[in-house]
């Protein structure tokens, strides 16, 4: 039986719709958490809301308070290239925290933390390969992550040009960095809710449908790990 922590930002409706009443619920690190039995595994779903600080705190709480040995994040993202169309399913291969900027103090490019070999950090490569073997339709992607909702083709294209990123969202960097520090494996499954020319209206129209699809795919992968 795996003891899995799941960080959920804004897609909590998909969780309650799919799993119904939890075995137990409460608080973990000050965040609402619901525990389910899914395919014989314990799944602790922690609802952080959007943003890096909440995602980092929630990830640490799942590890420290509930002893989760695997952290999973599913959710909707913005597409940064024409190939990232609505409902395109992805697995994060690398992530960059693109609004971190040490400027002249660090002398490093935007997104590059002092002491790190690169601006990019990776979730668990072994889990990525296992997930791709289970669901070969997934596309490995570079994720640009920051506390910003990105709208408009010009802004999205600029992120792709600077970082080679395919998608953008608001929690991945915090989750991966925190898991890396704790030496806990992580896996991030994403689906596109708004394409390169889209913005909030497209997101609002597609978020529920795409989120449901992403959770279904994530559950399939977890069950076969």
């Amino acid at each position: 039986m795996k003891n899995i922590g799941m960080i959920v930002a804004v897609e909590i409706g998909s969780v309650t719709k799919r799993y119904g009443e939890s075995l137990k619920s409460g608080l973990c690190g000050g965040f609402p958490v619901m525990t389910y039995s899914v395919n014989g595994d314990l799944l602790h779903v922690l609802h952080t809301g959007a943003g890096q600080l909440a995602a980092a705190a929630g990830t640490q709480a799942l590890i420290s308070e509930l002893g989760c040995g695997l952290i999973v994040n599913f959710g909707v993202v913005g597409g940064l290239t024409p190939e990232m169309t609505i409902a395109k399913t992805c697995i994060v291969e690398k992530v960059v925290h693109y609004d971190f900027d040490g400027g002249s103090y660090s002398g490093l490019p935007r997104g590059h933390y002092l002491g790190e070999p690169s601006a990019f950090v990776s979730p668990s490569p072994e889990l990525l390969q296992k997930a791709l073997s289970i669901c070969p339709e997934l596309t490995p992607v570079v994720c640009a992550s920051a506390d910003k909702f990105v709208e408009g083709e010009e802004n999205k294209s600029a992120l792709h040009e600077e970082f080679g990123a395919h998608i953008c969202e608001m929690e991945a960097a915090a989750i991966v960095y925190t898991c890396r520090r704790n030496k806990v494996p992580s896996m991030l499954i994403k689906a596109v809710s708004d394409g390169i020319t889209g913005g909030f209206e497209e997101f609002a129209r597609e978020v529920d449908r795409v989120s449901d699809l992403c959770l279904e795919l994530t559950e399939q992968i977890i069950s076969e790990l």
Side-chain angles (χ1 to χ4, degrees), residues 36-141:
Y36 299 93
S37 177
V38 180
N39 299 316
D41 297 321
L42 276 182
L43 182 66
H44 307 284
V45 178
L46 190 140
H47 185 201
T48 62
Q52 304 287 338
L53 291 176
T59 301
Q60 188 63 59
L62 285 171
I63 295 168
S64 298
E65 296 187 22
L66 297 181
C68 294
L70 167 64
I71 300 296
V72 174
N73 170 240
F74 85 97
V76 297
V77 296
L80 303 181
T81 69
E83 294 74 22
M84 291 292 114
T85 53
I86 301 298
K88 180 80 170 177
T89 53
C90 315
I91 183 166
V92 175
E93 185 172 19
K94 295 190 296 183
V95 60
V96 57
H97 186 199
Y98 68 88
D99 66 350
F100 177 82
D101 190 350
S104 299
Y105 170 72
S106 70
L108 295 170
R110 190 160 69 119
H112 195 149
Y113 281 75
L114 285 166
E116 295 288 348
S118 165
F120 300 92
V121 292
S122 297
S124 308
E126 298 85 359
L127 288 179
L128 182 143
Q129 292 305 318
K130 287 181 181 178
L132 288 173
S133 69
I134 295 166
C135 294
E137 69 271 24
L138 287 171
T139 300
V141 294

Side-chain angles (χ1 to χ4, degrees), residues 9-41:
V10 300
E11 303 87 354
I12 196 66
S14 293
V15 173
T16 54
K17 185 194 308 182
R18 186 166 185 84
Y19 299 131
E21 186 176 351
S22 60
L23 296 176
K24 61 179 180 179
S25 61
L27 294 177
C28 177
F31 297 100
V33 64
M34 298 175 291
T35 299
Y36 299 93
S37 177
V38 180
N39 299 316
D41 297 321

Side-chain angles (χ1 to χ4, degrees), residues 142-179:
V142 176
C143 176
S145 185
D147 283 315
K148 299 174 183 178
F149 186 90
V150 183
E151 297 187 86
E153 185 172 2
E154 183 178 352
N155 292 327
K156 290 185 173 184
S157 294
L159 279 178
H160 173 66
E161 290 298 321
E162 184 173 358
F163 298 105
H166 307 91
I167 62 170
C168 61
E169 53 84 83
M170 300 175 67
E171 294 80 34
I175 295 167
V176 175
Y177 270 100
T178 304
C179 286

